[in-house]
Amino acid sequence: MLAVHTRTETLLALRHSEQLLLTLVIPLALLVGLTLLEGLVELPEPRVNAALGTVLALAMMSTGFTSQAIALGFDRRYGLMRRLAATAIPRWLVVTGRLGGMAAVVVIQVVVLAGVAVALGWRPDGGSIGWALLLVLLGAAAFGACGLLLGGSVRADLVLVIANVVWFVLLFVGGIVVPVDQLPGALGTVVEFLPSGALAEGLRSVLLGGTPGVGHVVVLLVWTAVAGLAAARALKWD
């Protein structure tokens, strides 16, 4: 049942044009733009490495938070979650299947974005790949927990507005497109404690040959734990 439910969630996500725009089209366009248009944003060299870290963070936020929250909110609105809860499928499997579908989409994103980055000149290093995959996993977990919290506790129409507004805000002033050190002092300090800032800074660091700071990992773990526990308590089936 888990395999079937995970496959169904994955196919639904891949067939949804709005979700594909968020999860693949925009990250791919940003990867190409940040790499080739040097005047767009100041990034360290090699630009493609830093750009890949940026778009991987964006992809995790788009899939884990925005798409997950909107899909869950409207599934609740149309009674799908209530109907699933009334079937033989246990509730834990319903949630696990959604997370499995999200994980499958994340794998596809990483493969596609990495392939395009290689075509643009990225030459992966064995050590950096391991750290990057760890951060991608932690980032997907943190944003996924936040997406479940929002989509499972707020009305669908409000979820749509909140999820898209948060996506735009974090994209431009959340440490993703504009690095934390280029943000104004107070804002930069706050962004370091957001999952967007921690993930993007950590990924750019490891893909440029460094290692993630302990703070980046801790921030992502804390967001995962806090948002996950809150989502478990606040999740509504209708």
Side-chain angles (χ1 to χ4, degrees):
M1 285 192 295
L2 178 59
V4 171
H5 190 44
T6 299
R7 177 175 175 275
T8 301
E9 292 290 345
T10 304
L11 291 175
L12 287 174
L14 294 177
R15 290 172 180 173
H16 197 291
S17 57
E18 181 184 349
Q19 291 196 30
L20 281 178
L21 179 67
L22 283 172
T23 57
L24 278 176
V25 176
I26 293 177
L28 280 172
L30 192 60
L31 174 61
V32 174
L34 288 175
T35 302
L36 301 181
L37 303 177
E38 297 186 3
L40 194 59
V41 177
E42 289 187 27
L43 291 175
E45 296 292 341
R47 285 185 65 87
V48 65
N49 293 45
L52 180 59
T54 297
V55 298
L56 283 174
L58 173 61
M60 295 310 101
M61 180 176 70
S62 299
T63 301
F65 177 70
T66 310
S67 295
Q68 181 86 304
I70 293 173
L72 179 56
F74 279 94
D75 283 351
R76 287 172 49 232
R77 178 177 182 175
Y78 296 129
L80 176 60
M81 298 302 292
R82 186 173 62 250
R83 289 178 179 272
L84 285 175
T87 66
I89 302 176
R91 293 193 175 196
W92 67 265
L93 194 146
V94 174
V95 176
T96 307
R98 297 189 75 95
L99 294 177
M102 183 190 78
V105 173
V106 166
V107 170
I108 294 171
Q109 287 176 303
V110 171
V111 171
V112 171
L113 291 172
V116 173
V118 169
L120 290 171
W122 176 52
R123 297 297 175 260
D125 173 76
S128 66
I129 290 178
W131 280 115
L133 290 177
L134 174 63
L135 286 170
V136 164
L137 177 63
L138 294 176
F143 280 117
C146 293
L148 287 175
L149 175 59
L150 176 61
S153 59
V154 180
R155 293 201 326 267
D157 49 349
L158 289 179
V159 169
L160 183 63
V161 174
I162 295 172
N164 282 310
V165 168
V166 170
W167 186 87
F168 275 106
V169 170
L170 293 183
L171 174 63
F172 294 106
V173 294
I176 293 183
V177 171
V178 181
V180 171
D181 58 5
Q182 296 181 29
L183 295 172
L187 179 59
T189 302
V190 172
V191 168
E192 288 180 347
F193 294 97
L194 296 178
S196 55
L199 180 59
E201 289 297 311
L203 284 170
R204 281 191 287 262
S205 176
V206 300
L207 291 174
L208 288 169
T211 56
V214 176
H216 300 146
V217 175
V218 171
V219 167
L220 294 174
L221 287 173
V222 169
W223 275 93
T224 301
V226 173
L229 290 173
R233 290 177 174 270
L235 180 63
K236 300 175 184 176
W237 295 98
D238 52 19

mmCIF file of all heavy atoms in Angstrom, residues 102-120:
data_model
loop_
_atom_site.group_PDB
_atom_site.id
_atom_site.type_symbol
_atom_site.label_atom_id
_atom_site.label_comp_id
_atom_site.label_asym_id
_atom_site.label_seq_id
_atom_site.Cartn_x
_atom_site.Cartn_y
_atom_site.Cartn_z
ATOM 1 N N MET A 102 7.109 13.247 -2.179
ATOM 2 C CA MET A 102 7.963 14.426 -2.157
ATOM 3 C C MET A 102 9.427 14.023 -2.340
ATOM 4 O O MET A 102 10.176 14.661 -3.079
ATOM 5 C CB MET A 102 7.795 15.178 -0.833
ATOM 6 C CG MET A 102 8.593 16.468 -0.745
ATOM 7 S SD MET A 102 8.614 17.179 0.926
ATOM 8 C CE MET A 102 9.840 16.108 1.698
ATOM 9 N N ALA A 103 9.850 12.941 -1.678
ATOM 10 C CA ALA A 103 11.228 12.475 -1.796
ATOM 11 C C ALA A 103 11.560 12.071 -3.231
ATOM 12 O O ALA A 103 12.661 12.344 -3.731
ATOM 13 C CB ALA A 103 11.467 11.297 -0.852
ATOM 14 N N ALA A 104 10.611 11.437 -3.912
ATOM 15 C CA ALA A 104 10.833 11.039 -5.301
ATOM 16 C C ALA A 104 11.021 12.262 -6.190
ATOM 17 O O ALA A 104 11.895 12.281 -7.068
ATOM 18 C CB ALA A 104 9.660 10.194 -5.795
ATOM 19 N N VAL A 105 10.217 13.297 -5.964
ATOM 20 C CA VAL A 105 10.351 14.531 -6.744
ATOM 21 C C VAL A 105 11.698 15.193 -6.457
ATOM 22 O O VAL A 105 12.367 15.706 -7.370
ATOM 23 C CB VAL A 105 9.195 15.498 -6.430
ATOM 24 C CG1 VAL A 105 9.420 16.849 -7.115
ATOM 25 C CG2 VAL A 105 7.867 14.904 -6.878
ATOM 26 N N VAL A 106 12.138 15.151 -5.195
ATOM 27 C CA VAL A 106 13.440 15.731 -4.827
ATOM 28 C C VAL A 106 14.568 15.019 -5.575
ATOM 29 O O VAL A 106 15.505 15.665 -6.070
ATOM 30 C CB VAL A 106 13.649 15.644 -3.300
ATOM 31 C CG1 VAL A 106 15.113 15.909 -2.938
ATOM 32 C CG2 VAL A 106 12.749 16.641 -2.590
ATOM 33 N N VAL A 107 14.499 13.694 -5.657
ATOM 34 C CA VAL A 107 15.526 12.940 -6.374
ATOM 35 C C VAL A 107 15.573 13.375 -7.837
ATOM 36 O O VAL A 107 16.656 13.600 -8.415
ATOM 37 C CB VAL A 107 15.259 11.424 -6.272
ATOM 38 C CG1 VAL A 107 16.188 10.654 -7.210
ATOM 39 C CG2 VAL A 107 15.457 10.947 -4.838
ATOM 40 N N ILE A 108 14.412 13.519 -8.455
ATOM 41 C CA ILE A 108 14.356 13.954 -9.852
ATOM 42 C C ILE A 108 14.948 15.349 -9.999
ATOM 43 O O ILE A 108 15.719 15.621 -10.936
ATOM 44 C CB ILE A 108 12.903 13.928 -10.358
ATOM 45 C CG1 ILE A 108 12.381 12.487 -10.399
ATOM 46 C CG2 ILE A 108 12.788 14.581 -11.741
ATOM 47 C CD1 ILE A 108 10.895 12.375 -10.679
ATOM 48 N N GLN A 109 14.601 16.249 -9.077
ATOM 49 C CA GLN A 109 15.150 17.608 -9.128
ATOM 50 C C GLN A 109 16.669 17.605 -9.054
ATOM 51 O O GLN A 109 17.342 18.284 -9.828
ATOM 52 C CB GLN A 109 14.598 18.432 -7.950
ATOM 53 C CG GLN A 109 13.155 18.839 -8.087
ATOM 54 C CD GLN A 109 12.682 19.553 -6.837
ATOM 55 O OE1 GLN A 109 12.753 19.007 -5.737
ATOM 56 N NE2 GLN A 109 12.204 20.763 -6.998
ATOM 57 N N VAL A 110 17.213 16.852 -8.101
ATOM 58 C CA VAL A 110 18.663 16.827 -7.909
ATOM 59 C C VAL A 110 19.357 16.296 -9.158
ATOM 60 O O VAL A 110 20.367 16.858 -9.608
ATOM 61 C CB VAL A 110 19.029 15.973 -6.680
ATOM 62 C CG1 VAL A 110 20.534 15.747 -6.602
ATOM 63 C CG2 VAL A 110 18.537 16.638 -5.408
ATOM 64 N N VAL A 111 18.824 15.226 -9.749
ATOM 65 C CA VAL A 111 19.441 14.633 -10.936
ATOM 66 C C VAL A 111 19.396 15.619 -12.105
ATOM 67 O O VAL A 111 20.405 15.833 -12.805
ATOM 68 C CB VAL A 111 18.729 13.314 -11.308
ATOM 69 C CG1 VAL A 111 19.208 12.813 -12.669
ATOM 70 C CG2 VAL A 111 18.982 12.259 -10.241
ATOM 71 N N VAL A 112 18.240 16.241 -12.340
ATOM 72 C CA VAL A 112 18.099 17.169 -13.472
ATOM 73 C C VAL A 112 18.974 18.405 -13.279
ATOM 74 O O VAL A 112 19.707 18.812 -14.203
ATOM 75 C CB VAL A 112 16.619 17.570 -13.646
ATOM 76 C CG1 VAL A 112 16.491 18.692 -14.678
ATOM 77 C CG2 VAL A 112 15.783 16.372 -14.069
ATOM 78 N N LEU A 113 18.927 19.006 -12.094
ATOM 79 C CA LEU A 113 19.709 20.220 -11.848
ATOM 80 C C LEU A 113 21.206 19.935 -11.902
ATOM 81 O O LEU A 113 21.979 20.730 -12.455
ATOM 82 C CB LEU A 113 19.332 20.820 -10.491
ATOM 83 C CG LEU A 113 17.927 21.424 -10.402
ATOM 84 C CD1 LEU A 113 17.593 21.814 -8.977
ATOM 85 C CD2 LEU A 113 17.795 22.637 -11.314
ATOM 86 N N ALA A 114 21.629 18.808 -11.349
ATOM 87 C CA ALA A 114 23.046 18.456 -11.396
ATOM 88 C C ALA A 114 23.487 18.201 -12.831
ATOM 89 O O ALA A 114 24.594 18.598 -13.235
ATOM 90 C CB ALA A 114 23.312 17.226 -10.530
ATOM 91 N N GLY A 115 22.629 17.556 -13.626
ATOM 92 C CA GLY A 115 22.974 17.309 -15.022
ATOM 93 C C GLY A 115 23.147 18.592 -15.811
ATOM 94 O O GLY A 115 24.108 18.734 -16.585
ATOM 95 N N VAL A 116 22.246 19.539 -15.603
ATOM 96 C CA VAL A 116 22.365 20.829 -16.295
ATOM 97 C C VAL A 116 23.598 21.578 -15.807
ATOM 98 O O VAL A 116 24.311 22.218 -16.602
ATOM 99 C CB VAL A 116 21.090 21.667 -16.091
ATOM 100 C CG1 VAL A 116 21.265 23.072 -16.667
ATOM 101 C CG2 VAL A 116 19.890 20.982 -16.732
ATOM 102 N N ALA A 117 23.888 21.509 -14.501
ATOM 103 C CA ALA A 117 25.073 22.175 -13.965
ATOM 104 C C ALA A 117 26.353 21.605 -14.570
ATOM 105 O O ALA A 117 27.292 22.345 -14.881
ATOM 106 C CB ALA A 117 25.103 22.035 -12.443
ATOM 107 N N VAL A 118 26.414 20.291 -14.761
ATOM 108 C CA VAL A 118 27.573 19.672 -15.411
ATOM 109 C C VAL A 118 27.717 20.211 -16.828
ATOM 110 O O VAL A 118 28.830 20.520 -17.296
ATOM 111 C CB VAL A 118 27.432 18.128 -15.412
ATOM 112 C CG1 VAL A 118 28.487 17.498 -16.326
ATOM 113 C CG2 VAL A 118 27.573 17.584 -13.995
ATOM 114 N N ALA A 119 26.606 20.350 -17.545
ATOM 115 C CA ALA A 119 26.646 20.895 -18.900
ATOM 116 C C ALA A 119 27.138 22.343 -18.908
ATOM 117 O O ALA A 119 27.744 22.795 -19.892
ATOM 118 C CB ALA A 119 25.261 20.805 -19.535
ATOM 119 N N LEU A 120 26.897 23.059 -17.797
ATOM 120 C CA LEU A 120 27.325 24.464 -17.705
ATOM 121 C C LEU A 120 28.751 24.602 -17.178
ATOM 122 O O LEU A 120 29.251 25.727 -17.041
ATOM 123 C CB LEU A 120 26.368 25.229 -16.783
ATOM 124 C CG LEU A 120 24.955 25.467 -17.327
ATOM 125 C CD1 LEU A 120 24.048 26.035 -16.243
ATOM 126 C CD2 LEU A 120 24.986 26.387 -18.541
#
